[in-house]
Structures are given as C-alpha cells and as structure tokens.
Amino acid sequence: MELNIHDPEPGLRVTGLCVSFHGRPAVKDASLDLPRTGVTVLLGRSGSGKTTFLRALNRLNECFPGCETTGSIVLYPGGPDGGRHADSPPGTPDVPGPDGPCDVLGPSGP
C-alpha cells in the first residue's frame, strides 16, 4: 500500500509509515493527511493493507508478535475552534489530549 496525500491543515498526519510482520512488509512508506472534519474513505482490494494501516493509527498492530512499525503518526487536536466542534456552545471542553501536536508513535516509533 502506498499513499501520498497532503492537506495544509490536517487533523492527522501520517508520514513514511511502514508496517511489517516477521520482516514481510504490509504497509510501505504511507504518507497521508486526514482532514479535521468530513468523511474519509480508505479503498483498496483485499489484502492491500487497509486494516493494517488503520490498526497502526491506534498502535493495535503491536499486539501481534513480529510486528515492526516505523514512521510518524501525528495527531493535531484543537484547530481553528480550539478543539471544539463548530456547533459546540462556548465553554464546551476541548478535545481531550495535549494542547499541541502529539506523535502517536513517539519521536522514533515504538
């Protein structure tokens, strides 16, 4: 699976994501920006890496022996409305999490 899509103000940015199991690549060098709002569809044929890619966003692949994940997955909470949904009334708490970008995999992956 190879992706390379960029958004100037993403809600989530994936850069150079690689996932392999026992040395066999399942996702190779995926880069993708997901918008803060709207619906995003991930399409592909069976076995193309869709589920593995989505599991990597939540670090669920780490439950499987022999899994190695590298790259960067950065969550950008907040946004122009301070992390609240545009329809939220003033005083509604922001999206939980840090005030700034958060690298899900850490500085150099798990």
Side-chain angles (χ1 to χ4, degrees):
M1 171 190 220
E2 294 188 31
L3 297 171
N4 194 355
I5 303 169
H6 293 285
D7 182 336
E9 293 187 27
L12 180 78
R13 174 168 283 156
V14 179
T15 307
L17 181 67
C18 297
V19 181
S20 62
F21 296 95
H22 301 286
R24 292 188 71 193
V27 175
K28 185 178 176 184
D29 198 30
S31 296
L32 170 71
D33 289 351
L34 296 177
R36 293 180 190 276
T37 61
V39 176
T40 301
V41 178
L42 187 60
L43 295 173
R45 64 178 199 233
S46 177
S48 64
K50 300 176 303 291
T51 300
T52 301
F53 176 82
L54 293 173
R55 283 185 186 143
L57 299 181
N58 292 314
R59 298 182 70 170
L60 294 175
N61 290 324
E62 295 172 24
C63 298
F64 300 104
C67 177
E68 182 179 344
T69 304
T70 59
S72 174
I73 301 170
V74 180
L75 174 63
Y76 293 92
D81 297 315
R84 291 182 286 114
H85 187 276
D87 297 333
S88 300
T92 302
D94 289 350
V95 174
D99 293 332
C102 172
D103 192 338
V104 174
L105 294 178
S108 60

